[in-house]
Amino acid sequence: MLVGLQYGDEGKAKIIDALAPGYDVIARFNGGANAGHTIDTPHGRIALKQLPSGVFHPHATLYIGSGCAINPWKLAEEIEQVREMGVSLEGRLHISARAALVQPHHIAMDRRGGDTIGTTGNGIGPCYADRALRVRNDTRVNLMLGDLLGNETDTVVAMRDIFMRMINADGGTSPWVAEMSDLLLSLPKVAKTLRCYVQPDRTWLTNRVKAGARVLFEGAQSVLLDVVDGSQPYVTSSHTVPAYAYVGGDLSPKYHRRVIGVAKAIVSRVGRGPFPAELGGERSARYCHEASVSNIGKAQEKTRFSAQSLLRSSDPLDVGTALRMLTDEYGTGTGRPRRIGMLDLGELRDVIKAHGVDCVYLNKVDCLTHYANSSYQGVPVRVHGDAVPEDALPDVQIYPGLTAQSITSGREGTLDAALIGFIDFVERHIGAPLAGLGLGPERASLVLLDPRESAPVAQAASDA
């Protein structure tokens, strides 16, 4: 299975896309339309929300497990989007009939109350809450995808009844009445689109594995945002840790082989919550929250700031802003500016140890070369795992010598001494081998490392 090891946006889809040729099934086990997995392909760039990231590999079957929360309207749109890119999902996509169904009142509730945590407003949290609640006001609220297709009329009526009860409780003042009503009206058409993909057999994936299929589970959100293991309440609403893949992915854990972790060298976080390595500390968190509320994103920051000037500042907040602009760290689904932090090897070490991660892919290594033009004169790397005061940098080492030339050589298949030294430095601190380096956004810029060699050897990504 493959999971993100930080706060999300580590480039998990890019690694799935590279590894997919070696697997028969790519499966999602958690989350919903609150995930944004961006893939650069020969067909163009696409930000997948609910479809597994192996969609552009025709040999791969795609599975969305019962642990997911399905937004049927957005999933139907996504299926149509990939169809327009020339990709057929007929016979390839299977969705568990027991996946939770996001309903209009979930979306309205999330928009009304999600700002405290910093959610995406897609209704995922309220959907999972209703799964646990089961019944409200003598009405079943934990509807599943199979309910929609098994008894469409009753399901639509139930959704409308629940939504109208919520509106009436608010005094009829909800600003989303018209939008949610339109969703309900379009539901029969959406159900028709999804019907052929729903899989009622809970043993479907098990049977595939017994027949010899290799499965790669894809985590939607990342480990540090787990609903239990993360820092409450600033977490996602599902289980993101590797162990949950077998519950939400509908497969026995006896088939487990290994845990693949994905991290990125320019660490980011969207929304509120602790971020020990954040450049600018609480000031950065406050700025990003206010920017999100004010709809300030990439275009506005480009107009307001000079990234190169900020990069040379002695203020960590300015450096973080510059790195966000230079490395395009804005929310895939929302466009929100992401909070930026230094590479935190201490935190990675703790996560790897806690969840038995076997190997790690590290993305955006090329972006570390921006630090050479900053006041740090090298790459600041945090090696301690505990929280630190605002703007303080204890237990931070400056890693020197990582140049643009090293990155260029790596892309061409040659790892020079500086890049090999960096790999060794990271592996010693995190306690796990690096399986690959992302040296750019393109497929060809992913350099795979052979852990069997004493010195890393660059391989083509197609050899995965």
Side-chain angles (χ1 to χ4, degrees), residues 207-254:
N207 293 335
R208 286 295 309 270
V209 172
K210 285 183 176 180
R214 298 187 69 199
V215 178
L216 179 58
F217 282 118
E218 172 186 15
Q221 285 80 27
S222 298
V223 168
L224 291 176
L225 298 178
D226 184 87
V227 67
V228 173
D229 202 50
S231 299
Q232 288 289 343
Y234 306 105
V235 294
T236 193
S237 48
S238 61
H239 287 289
T240 63
V241 296
Y244 189 72
Y246 297 99
V247 178
D250 310 314
L251 185 67
S252 168
K254 75 177 183 179

Side-chain angles (χ1 to χ4, degrees), residues 175-189:
W176 302 294
V177 173
E179 181 184 351
M180 298 303 117
S181 296
D182 287 344
L183 290 180
L184 287 168
L185 287 173
S186 66
L187 198 53
K189 181 180 179 181

